[in-house]
Amino acid sequence: MADEGPLYLGFDLSTQQLKAIVIRSDLAVVSDAKADFDGDLGPKYGIEKGVLKNEAEGEVFAPVALWLEALDLVLRRLQEKNTPLNRIRGISGSCQQHGSVYWSREAEKLLGSLQTDKSLVQQLTGAFSHPYAPNWQDASTQAECDQYTATMETAERLAQVTGSSAHHRFTGTQIMRLRRKLPEMYAATSRISLVSSFLASLLLGTIAPMDISDACGMNLWDIPANEWSEPLLKLTAGGESGAAELRTKLGDVRQDGGGSMGNISSYFVTKYGFSPSCGIAPFTGDNPATILALPLRPLDAIVSLGTSTTFLMVTPVYKPDPSYHFFNHPTTPGQYMFMLCYKNGGLAREKVRDVLPKPGGTDVWATFDKHALSTPPLDIHSEGDRAKLGLYFYLPEIVPNISAGTWRYTSRPDGSDLTEAEKPWPAETDARAIIESQALSMRLRSQKLVVSPGDCLPAQPRRVYLVGGGSLNPSIRQVMGDVLGGSEGVYKLDVGGNACALGGAYKAVWSFERADGETFDELIGKRWKEEGTIQKVGDGYKKGIFEAYGNVLGAFEEMEERILKAEKA
């Protein structure tokens, strides 16, 4: 590779892989490598899909040593591809959210004295007071979640302060449980990192501060006050005397999402050929990194259509609610990331698909698409027909918090006279109804965050970007646009499964090449090329259709409330 200027490295440490992408200043990809945890290291660590489980207690966790080995492995693979690591000017990255790493009192000394004739795992085993990191799939903290809610009196108040209601996977409840379960381990812990600050620490050779966006996934950071929540620190640490100690373990949160936290550790310079002047920028969580994989503007939305479904928006408005999440933006002060997470995404759509007759060809979605596209909005064929609304939860859902089940209702087209259907409607109708149901839930919960994009249009997103397997499906693309709108259209975003790693790499470019006051969106927006990355796949807003869905939004909310009330009775 000819010397053509500086390069930037972005990591993505997910549950099952560590990926690395090297890009140029113009954002073109130069090289990449990955370590697959099960494939490369599974037999050694006994993991399955990147994790270990204690089913009896609902614990899901990963060996920290696994990640140490993976970092050496990925860098060795980049070397083997003749990637010019000496030209890398800056590094950032994305890591699975909520997980926590527990450093021993020897950590700083060991990080600062690494020798290149040994691997990271050989030298850093003693750097951790706990050999495991809780994973976001962990469900062992219900008692702690209940106490978090009780301490703030209501779930609404907890969400107002921390951006989210209490969740099993969030870091604060995990720390609280481990302090109780393993008091000696907790006492021996000098610092606690998120997975993102852990990986940055390895590269820095000293413990890195947490990132301002990733810290919001802990239920401990007071977002409006921009500081650790004192009541929640006291709860987590077991009283007032422990709160100061926990504050020290957590450390300060870095306010600037860019810039350099310091140069790379000499271990990586000598062993892999990095430049001694290569800087380490703050790392962030995987969801914040996703919104950095393209210059996402306020009023733009991303819908990730995988096994689960995630809805992401950037907004200047902080309006938290227990049913969704707010995070500080990873690069832009005064902006927030709004996030909805649904368990019943692709799995639920597949369940509806599989009830229909199997298509004759290779496209397993052909029959589903045919019926979803031929069914009119809300199955209203003519005047006098009632709108059909449903919920399709094959797993217990979190948005809203309803157990598994299927419910079907009808209402008048104006949303009045909501009535439970006396019998299931034809399976062919469910194809469109399930997509409508998922999109209506997103629209209901994001409606306070959108404004009119202009030209006297109703409030809606500017663009809707679809990612993940579902973005390939023509019926899903059309119905998402019909319900959610999108004044500039619906787009398919294709970054080959590397959105998080690219988000990290773009963050590195911005961190080291920004002018004074230049925002991430300004710098990346000038360099990001739509060609080959996004494709317009739908018109988005359609006058009349968008408004028809708006008319039944209240009925959809009432349906959810009735089902919730019946469950509690």
CSV table of all heavy atoms in Angstrom, one decimal, residues 324-362:
chain,number,residue,atom,x,y,z
A,324,TYR,N,-38.7,3.8,26.8
A,324,TYR,CA,-37.6,3.9,25.9
A,324,TYR,C,-36.3,4.5,26.5
A,324,TYR,O,-36.3,4.7,27.8
A,324,TYR,CB,-38.0,4.7,24.6
A,324,TYR,CG,-38.7,6.0,24.8
A,324,TYR,CD1,-38.0,7.1,25.3
A,324,TYR,CD2,-40.0,6.1,24.5
A,324,TYR,CE1,-38.7,8.3,25.5
A,324,TYR,CE2,-40.7,7.3,24.7
A,324,TYR,CZ,-40.0,8.4,25.2
A,324,TYR,OH,-40.7,9.6,25.4
A,325,HIS,N,-35.3,4.7,25.7
A,325,HIS,CA,-34.0,5.2,26.3
A,325,HIS,C,-33.6,6.5,25.7
A,325,HIS,O,-33.8,6.7,24.5
A,325,HIS,CB,-32.9,4.1,26.0
A,325,HIS,CG,-33.2,2.7,26.4
A,325,HIS,ND1,-33.2,2.3,27.7
A,325,HIS,CD2,-33.5,1.6,25.7
A,325,HIS,CE1,-33.5,1.1,27.8
A,325,HIS,NE2,-33.7,0.6,26.5
A,326,PHE,N,-32.9,7.3,26.5
A,326,PHE,CA,-32.2,8.5,26.1
A,326,PHE,C,-30.8,8.4,26.5
A,326,PHE,O,-30.5,8.0,27.6
A,326,PHE,CB,-32.8,9.8,26.7
A,326,PHE,CG,-33.8,10.4,25.8
A,326,PHE,CD1,-35.2,10.1,25.8
A,326,PHE,CD2,-33.4,11.4,24.9
A,326,PHE,CE1,-36.1,10.7,24.9
A,326,PHE,CE2,-34.3,12.0,24.0
A,326,PHE,CZ,-35.6,11.7,24.1
A,327,PHE,N,-29.9,8.7,25.6
A,327,PHE,CA,-28.4,8.8,25.8
A,327,PHE,C,-27.9,10.2,25.4
A,327,PHE,O,-28.5,10.8,24.4
A,327,PHE,CB,-27.7,7.8,25.1
A,327,PHE,CG,-28.0,6.3,25.4
A,327,PHE,CD1,-29.1,5.7,24.9
A,327,PHE,CD2,-27.2,5.6,26.2
A,327,PHE,CE1,-29.4,4.4,25.2
A,327,PHE,CE2,-27.5,4.3,26.6
A,327,PHE,CZ,-28.6,3.7,26.0
A,328,ASN,N,-26.9,10.7,26.0
A,328,ASN,CA,-26.2,11.8,25.4
A,328,ASN,C,-25.6,11.4,24.1
A,328,ASN,O,-25.2,10.2,23.9
A,328,ASN,CB,-25.0,12.2,26.4
A,328,ASN,CG,-25.5,13.0,27.6
A,328,ASN,OD1,-26.3,13.9,27.5
A,328,ASN,ND2,-25.0,12.6,28.7
A,329,HIS,N,-25.6,12.3,23.2
A,329,HIS,CA,-25.0,12.0,21.8
A,329,HIS,C,-23.5,11.8,22.0
A,329,HIS,O,-22.9,12.4,22.8
A,329,HIS,CB,-25.2,13.2,20.9
A,329,HIS,CG,-25.0,12.9,19.5
A,329,HIS,ND1,-23.7,12.9,19.0
A,329,HIS,CD2,-25.8,12.7,18.4
A,329,HIS,CE1,-23.7,12.6,17.7
A,329,HIS,NE2,-25.0,12.5,17.3
A,330,PRO,N,-22.9,10.8,21.3
A,330,PRO,CA,-21.5,10.5,21.5
A,330,PRO,C,-20.5,11.5,21.1
A,330,PRO,O,-19.3,11.5,21.4
A,330,PRO,CB,-21.3,9.2,20.7
A,330,PRO,CG,-22.4,9.2,19.7
A,330,PRO,CD,-23.6,9.9,20.4
A,331,THR,N,-21.0,12.5,20.2
A,331,THR,CA,-20.0,13.5,19.7
A,331,THR,C,-20.5,14.9,19.9
A,331,THR,O,-19.7,15.9,19.8
A,331,THR,CB,-19.7,13.3,18.3
A,331,THR,OG1,-20.8,13.5,17.4
A,331,THR,CG2,-19.1,11.9,18.0
A,332,THR,N,-21.8,15.1,20.0
A,332,THR,CA,-22.4,16.5,19.9
A,332,THR,C,-23.1,16.9,21.1
A,332,THR,O,-24.3,16.5,21.4
A,332,THR,CB,-23.4,16.5,18.7
A,332,THR,OG1,-22.7,15.9,17.5
A,332,THR,CG2,-23.8,18.0,18.4
A,333,PRO,N,-22.5,17.8,22.0
A,333,PRO,CA,-23.2,18.3,23.2
A,333,PRO,C,-24.6,18.9,22.8
A,333,PRO,O,-24.7,19.6,21.8
A,333,PRO,CB,-22.3,19.3,23.8
A,333,PRO,CG,-20.9,18.9,23.2
A,333,PRO,CD,-21.2,18.3,21.9
A,334,GLY,N,-25.6,18.7,23.6
A,334,GLY,CA,-26.9,19.3,23.4
A,334,GLY,C,-27.8,18.5,22.5
A,334,GLY,O,-29.0,18.8,22.3
A,335,GLN,N,-27.2,17.4,21.9
A,335,GLN,CA,-28.0,16.5,21.2
A,335,GLN,C,-28.2,15.1,22.0
A,335,GLN,O,-27.3,14.8,22.8
A,335,GLN,CB,-27.4,16.2,19.8
A,335,GLN,CG,-27.3,17.4,18.9
A,335,GLN,CD,-28.7,17.8,18.3
A,335,GLN,OE1,-29.6,17.0,18.2
A,335,GLN,NE2,-28.8,19.0,17.9
A,336,TYR,N,-29.2,14.4,21.7
A,336,TYR,CA,-29.4,13.2,22.4
A,336,TYR,C,-29.8,12.1,21.4
A,336,TYR,O,-30.2,12.3,20.3
A,336,TYR,CB,-30.6,13.3,23.4
A,336,TYR,CG,-30.4,14.4,24.4
A,336,TYR,CD1,-30.9,15.7,24.2
A,336,TYR,CD2,-29.7,14.1,25.6
A,336,TYR,CE1,-30.7,16.7,25.1
A,336,TYR,CE2,-29.5,15.1,26.5
A,336,TYR,CZ,-30.0,16.4,26.3
A,336,TYR,OH,-29.8,17.4,27.2
A,337,MET,N,-29.5,10.8,21.8
A,337,MET,CA,-29.9,9.7,21.0
A,337,MET,C,-31.1,9.0,21.7
A,337,MET,O,-31.1,8.7,22.9
A,337,MET,CB,-28.7,8.7,21.0
A,337,MET,CG,-29.1,7.5,20.1
A,337,MET,SD,-27.8,6.2,20.2
A,337,MET,CE,-28.2,5.4,21.7
A,338,PHE,N,-32.2,8.9,20.9
A,338,PHE,CA,-33.4,8.3,21.4
A,338,PHE,C,-33.4,6.9,20.9
A,338,PHE,O,-33.1,6.6,19.7
A,338,PHE,CB,-34.6,9.1,20.8
A,338,PHE,CG,-35.9,8.4,20.9
A,338,PHE,CD1,-36.7,8.4,22.1
A,338,PHE,CD2,-36.4,7.8,19.8
A,338,PHE,CE1,-37.9,7.7,22.1
A,338,PHE,CE2,-37.7,7.2,19.8
A,338,PHE,CZ,-38.4,7.1,21.0
A,339,MET,N,-33.7,5.9,21.7
A,339,MET,CA,-33.6,4.5,21.3
A,339,MET,C,-34.8,3.7,21.8
A,339,MET,O,-35.2,3.8,23.0
A,339,MET,CB,-32.3,3.9,21.8
A,339,MET,CG,-32.2,2.4,21.3
A,339,MET,SD,-30.5,1.8,21.7
A,339,MET,CE,-30.6,1.5,23.5
A,340,LEU,N,-35.4,2.9,20.9
A,340,LEU,CA,-36.4,1.9,21.3
A,340,LEU,C,-35.9,0.6,21.0
A,340,LEU,O,-35.3,0.4,19.9
A,340,LEU,CB,-37.7,2.2,20.5
A,340,LEU,CG,-38.6,3.4,20.8
A,340,LEU,CD1,-39.6,3.6,19.6
A,340,LEU,CD2,-39.4,3.1,22.1
A,341,CYS,N,-36.1,-0.4,21.9
A,341,CYS,CA,-35.6,-1.8,21.6
A,341,CYS,C,-36.8,-2.7,21.7
A,341,CYS,O,-37.5,-2.7,22.8
A,341,CYS,CB,-34.5,-2.2,22.6
A,341,CYS,SG,-33.0,-1.2,22.5
A,342,TYR,N,-37.0,-3.5,20.7
A,342,TYR,CA,-38.1,-4.5,20.7
A,342,TYR,C,-37.5,-5.9,20.6
A,342,TYR,O,-36.7,-6.2,19.8
A,342,TYR,CB,-39.0,-4.3,19.6
A,342,TYR,CG,-39.7,-2.9,19.5
A,342,TYR,CD1,-39.2,-1.8,18.9
A,342,TYR,CD2,-41.0,-2.8,20.1
A,342,TYR,CE1,-39.8,-0.6,18.8
A,342,TYR,CE2,-41.6,-1.5,20.1
A,342,TYR,CZ,-41.0,-0.5,19.5
A,342,TYR,OH,-41.7,0.8,19.4
A,343,LYS,N,-38.0,-6.8,21.5
A,343,LYS,CA,-37.6,-8.2,21.4
A,343,LYS,C,-38.3,-8.9,20.2
A,343,LYS,O,-37.7,-9.7,19.5
A,343,LYS,CB,-38.0,-9.0,22.6
A,343,LYS,CG,-37.1,-8.7,23.9
A,343,LYS,CD,-37.5,-9.6,25.0
A,343,LYS,CE,-36.7,-9.3,26.2
A,343,LYS,NZ,-37.1,-10.2,27.4
A,344,ASN,N,-39.5,-8.5,19.9
A,344,ASN,CA,-40.3,-9.1,18.9
A,344,ASN,C,-40.2,-8.4,17.6
A,344,ASN,O,-41.0,-7.6,17.1
A,344,ASN,CB,-41.8,-9.2,19.3
A,344,ASN,CG,-42.0,-10.1,20.4
A,344,ASN,OD1,-42.2,-11.3,20.3
A,344,ASN,ND2,-42.1,-9.6,21.7
A,345,GLY,N,-39.0,-8.7,16.9
A,345,GLY,CA,-38.8,-8.1,15.6
A,345,GLY,C,-38.9,-9.1,14.5
A,345,GLY,O,-40.0,-9.5,14.1
A,346,GLY,N,-37.7,-9.5,14.0
A,346,GLY,CA,-37.7,-10.4,12.9
A,346,GLY,C,-38.3,-11.8,13.2
A,346,GLY,O,-39.0,-12.4,12.4
A,347,LEU,N,-38.1,-12.2,14.5
A,347,LEU,CA,-38.7,-13.5,14.9
A,347,LEU,C,-40.2,-13.5,14.8
A,347,LEU,O,-40.8,-14.4,14.3
A,347,LEU,CB,-38.3,-13.8,16.3
A,347,LEU,CG,-38.9,-15.0,17.0
A,347,LEU,CD1,-38.4,-16.3,16.3
A,347,LEU,CD2,-38.6,-15.1,18.5
A,348,ALA,N,-40.8,-12.4,15.2
A,348,ALA,CA,-42.3,-12.3,15.1
A,348,ALA,C,-42.8,-12.3,13.7
A,348,ALA,O,-43.8,-13.0,13.3
A,348,ALA,CB,-42.8,-11.1,15.9
A,349,ARG,N,-42.1,-11.6,12.8
A,349,ARG,CA,-42.5,-11.5,11.4
A,349,ARG,C,-42.3,-12.9,10.8
A,349,ARG,O,-43.1,-13.3,10.0
A,349,ARG,CB,-41.6,-10.5,10.7
A,349,ARG,CG,-41.9,-9.0,11.1
A,349,ARG,CD,-41.2,-8.0,10.2
A,349,ARG,NE,-39.7,-8.1,10.3
A,349,ARG,CZ,-39.0,-7.4,11.1
A,349,ARG,NH1,-39.5,-6.6,12.0
A,349,ARG,NH2,-37.6,-7.5,11.1
A,350,GLU,N,-41.3,-13.6,11.2
A,350,GLU,CA,-41.1,-15.0,10.6
A,350,GLU,C,-42.2,-15.9,11.1
A,350,GLU,O,-42.6,-16.8,10.3
A,350,GLU,CB,-39.7,-15.5,11.1
A,350,GLU,CG,-38.5,-14.9,10.4
A,350,GLU,CD,-37.2,-15.3,11.0
A,350,GLU,OE1,-37.2,-16.3,11.8
A,350,GLU,OE2,-36.2,-14.6,10.8
A,351,LYS,N,-42.7,-15.8,12.3
A,351,LYS,CA,-43.8,-16.6,12.8
A,351,LYS,C,-45.0,-16.4,12.0
A,351,LYS,O,-45.7,-17.4,11.6
A,351,LYS,CB,-44.1,-16.3,14.3
A,351,LYS,CG,-43.0,-16.7,15.3
A,351,LYS,CD,-43.0,-18.2,15.6
A,351,LYS,CE,-42.0,-18.5,16.7
A,351,LYS,NZ,-42.0,-19.9,17.0
A,352,VAL,N,-45.3,-15.1,11.6
A,352,VAL,CA,-46.5,-14.8,10.8
A,352,VAL,C,-46.3,-15.4,9.4
A,352,VAL,O,-47.2,-16.0,8.8
A,352,VAL,CB,-46.7,-13.3,10.8
A,352,VAL,CG1,-47.8,-13.0,9.7
A,352,VAL,CG2,-47.2,-12.8,12.1
A,353,ARG,N,-45.0,-15.2,8.9
A,353,ARG,CA,-44.7,-15.7,7.6
A,353,ARG,C,-44.9,-17.2,7.5
A,353,ARG,O,-45.4,-17.8,6.5
A,353,ARG,CB,-43.2,-15.4,7.2
A,353,ARG,CG,-42.7,-16.0,5.9
A,353,ARG,CD,-41.2,-16.0,5.9
A,353,ARG,NE,-40.7,-17.0,6.8
A,353,ARG,CZ,-39.4,-17.2,7.2
A,353,ARG,NH1,-38.5,-16.3,6.7
A,353,ARG,NH2,-39.0,-18.1,8.0
A,354,ASP,N,-44.5,-18.0,8.5
A,354,ASP,CA,-44.5,-19.4,8.4
A,354,ASP,C,-45.9,-20.0,8.5
A,354,ASP,O,-46.1,-21.2,8.2
A,354,ASP,CB,-43.6,-20.0,9.6
A,354,ASP,CG,-42.1,-19.7,9.3
A,354,ASP,OD1,-41.8,-19.3,8.2
A,354,ASP,OD2,-41.4,-19.8,10.3
A,355,VAL,N,-46.9,-19.2,8.9
A,355,VAL,CA,-48.3,-19.7,8.9
A,355,VAL,C,-48.8,-19.7,7.5
A,355,VAL,O,-49.7,-20.5,7.1
A,355,VAL,CB,-49.2,-18.9,9.8
A,355,VAL,CG1,-50.6,-19.2,9.7
A,355,VAL,CG2,-48.7,-19.0,11.3
A,356,LEU,N,-48.3,-18.9,6.6
A,356,LEU,CA,-48.8,-18.8,5.2
A,356,LEU,C,-48.2,-19.9,4.4
A,356,LEU,O,-47.2,-20.6,4.7
A,356,LEU,CB,-48.3,-17.5,4.6
A,356,LEU,CG,-48.8,-16.2,5.3
A,356,LEU,CD1,-48.0,-15.0,4.9
A,356,LEU,CD2,-50.3,-16.0,5.0
A,357,PRO,N,-48.9,-20.2,3.3
A,357,PRO,CA,-48.4,-21.3,2.4
A,357,PRO,C,-46.9,-21.0,1.9
A,357,PRO,O,-46.6,-19.8,1.6
A,357,PRO,CB,-49.4,-21.3,1.2
A,357,PRO,CG,-50.6,-20.6,1.7
A,357,PRO,CD,-50.1,-19.6,2.8
A,358,LYS,N,-46.1,-22.0,1.9
A,358,LYS,CA,-44.7,-21.8,1.5
A,358,LYS,C,-44.7,-21.5,0.0
A,358,LYS,O,-45.3,-22.1,-0.8
A,358,LYS,CB,-43.9,-23.1,1.7
A,358,LYS,CG,-43.5,-23.3,3.2
A,358,LYS,CD,-42.6,-24.5,3.4
A,358,LYS,CE,-42.0,-24.5,4.8
A,358,LYS,NZ,-43.0,-24.6,5.8
A,359,PRO,N,-43.9,-20.5,-0.4
A,359,PRO,CA,-43.8,-20.1,-1.8
A,359,PRO,C,-43.0,-21.2,-2.5
A,359,PRO,O,-42.2,-22.0,-2.0
A,359,PRO,CB,-43.0,-18.8,-1.7
A,359,PRO,CG,-42.2,-18.8,-0.4
A,359,PRO,CD,-43.1,-19.6,0.5
A,360,GLY,N,-43.2,-21.2,-3.9
A,360,GLY,CA,-42.6,-22.3,-4.7
A,360,GLY,C,-41.1,-22.1,-4.9
A,360,GLY,O,-40.3,-23.0,-5.1
A,361,GLY,N,-40.7,-20.8,-5.0
A,361,GLY,CA,-39.3,-20.5,-5.4
A,361,GLY,C,-38.3,-20.5,-4.2
A,361,GLY,O,-38.6,-21.0,-3.1
A,362,THR,N,-37.2,-19.8,-4.4
A,362,THR,CA,-36.2,-19.7,-3.3
A,362,THR,C,-36.4,-18.6,-2.3
A,362,THR,O,-35.8,-18.6,-1.2
A,362,THR,CB,-34.8,-19.5,-3.9
A,362,THR,OG1,-34.8,-18.3,-4.8
A,362,THR,CG2,-34.4,-20.7,-4.8
